[in-house]
Each structure stands twice: as C-alpha cells, then as structure tokens.
Amino acid sequence: MDTLQQFDKAIEGCRDIFARKLEDYGASWRILRPRSVTDQLYIKAKRIRTLEEGPAMVDEGIYGEFMAIVNYGFVGLIQLARGYADSADISPAEALALYDAEVLKARALMAAKTHDYGDAWRGMRVNSYTDFILTKLQRVKEIEGNDGRTAVSEGIDSNYLDIINYAIFGLIKLSE
C-alpha cells in the first residue's frame, strides 16, 4: 500500500470510533473551547510518551491514543472554524460531514508533504512522532497565549493538521 492508501485505512478506523462515539454522546465536544481541545490533545500525547517509557497501569495501548489524537485534532479544526457552543448544537450526521471535510484537508496536506519529503517518515521511530506532536502542542499553547496571533509562523489550524498527520504516521507504523 502507498502512503495515501494507508492514510485512508487509518482514517477509516478513526472515523468509525468517532461515529460510534457520536451515537453514544452526540456532538458533546461542541462545548469545548479551543484551549480545552489543545489540553485534551496534550493529555493523549503525554500518555503515549509515558507508555513509551514504561509499563501501563491501565490496559489501553498507544494505538488507541493515536486514534484519539486524530479524532480530537479534527474536533479542534471544527471548533476553530465554527467556534464553540453551549450545547451539542449539531446532529451526528452534520458532525460526520464536518469531520469528513477536515479529513480531506489533512489528506491533501499528507499528499503534498509526501511529494515534497518522500516517505521520510517511514525511517523515523514512533516515539519521534510523539515528541513532534508534543512540540506542536507547545507551539499551539504559545499561539493561544498570544490570542492566536503569529508573526511568521503557521497558525493553530496548520499545527493541528500536522498533529493529525503525525498521529496517522504512528497508526501506520504500529499496524505494520
């Protein structure tokens, strides 16, 4: 399989979890402000790093945490575009349509970067993806602290897209 086929397969699993959680909870995440989404992503990435360093006390693995990072990354992009709400103000079908639109952006970015960088990510270790995600999250926190303003750097949305793609690299590597 090529990178984009593997991207599609990884997204298929993430989207399935996202859809099933919509059945359970609706779009309750619409209440999250962007900073809270960033913190949720941080929690997931930090847990992966902890699991990479030693044994787990809760029987949930790194793979599921990378899936959660993908899904919360898409939540973050949706929240940035729409703003947060005081309730779950969209239907599960609308939430999935928004998710799918963000997937297309992430896939296009992955295609462009695969073209420019080749598949350099294949030579990297999974723990590097974790570190890059944590670095991107630190950058997002700085940008959030500056009310979203940057002088020369990419914005929060670009960082979320990179985080999603690093997590997808992790999913692909872990499934090989």
Side-chain angles (χ1 to χ4, degrees), residues 142-162:
E142 292 291 328
I143 295 168
E144 289 171 342
N146 292 329
D147 296 321
R149 291 185 309 272
T150 59
V152 296
S153 302
E154 298 174 318
I156 293 170
D157 56 341
S158 293
N159 282 284
Y160 278 170
L161 284 167
D162 286 343

Side-chain angles (χ1 to χ4, degrees), residues 79-155:
Q79 295 298 80
L80 285 173
R82 293 183 65 107
Y84 63 92
D86 289 329
S87 64
D89 63 343
I90 58 175
S91 69
E94 187 176 1
L96 281 172
L98 293 167
Y99 182 99
D100 292 341
E102 297 301 335
V103 166
L104 293 177
K105 292 176 190 174
R107 191 178 193 280
L109 178 65
M110 172 131 353
K113 288 195 173 185
T114 295
H115 175 270
D116 290 354
Y117 292 94
D119 280 333
W121 65 271
R122 291 186 186 278
M124 296 168 56
R125 292 168 280 230
V126 173
N127 66 340
S128 292
Y129 309 139
T130 306
D131 291 349
F132 292 163
I133 290 168
L134 285 165
T135 300
K136 291 281 183 181
L137 287 167
Q138 185 60 44
R139 291 176 183 176
V140 168
K141 287 181 180 186
E142 292 291 328
I143 295 168
E144 289 171 342
N146 292 329
D147 296 321
R149 291 185 309 272
T150 59
V152 296
S153 302
E154 298 174 318

